[in-house]
Amino acid sequence: MLNRTPRALEPGEAEIHFGSPDVTIIRSGSFVRCAVTGQRIPIEGLRYWSAERQEAYASAEIALSRWKQLTGRA
């Protein structure tokens, strides 16, 4: 769950600490970047991340692909 604040949707890229199960906004912004594709993920659409790697993912499929890549599993 995203800990929202009124400043969370300011323009620009946000800096976020990815926890489990929550994330904390360190620097306000309207988006974060997907660690795999580089695409912008709107803060309100952020659903997938790795607390261990501190990475955001644009979709479940991308998150799974990244996990497989890092673990060497097919």
Side-chain angles (χ1 to χ4, degrees):
M1 173 180 277
L2 184 63
N3 294 330
R4 295 175 194 252
T5 65
R7 295 176 16 167
L9 298 178
E10 290 180 10
E13 188 168 356
E15 181 181 347
I16 293 182
H17 178 268
F18 299 99
S20 177
D22 297 328
V23 300
T24 303
I25 297 171
I26 307 231
R27 184 180 69 234
S28 62
S30 60
F31 68 92
V32 293
R33 294 213 179 261
C34 176
V36 176
T37 66
Q39 74 186 79
R40 290 180 176 200
I41 305 167
I43 292 295
E44 47 297 324
L46 179 61
R47 302 283 183 272
Y48 308 100
W49 63 84
S50 168
E52 180 181 342
R53 292 179 202 72
Q54 291 298 296
E55 296 179 337
Y57 308 111
S59 70
E61 293 80 13
I62 292 171
L64 178 60
S65 170
R66 179 72 166 148
W67 177 81
K68 287 179 178 179
Q69 173 192 30
L70 294 170
T71 62
R73 298 195 175 148

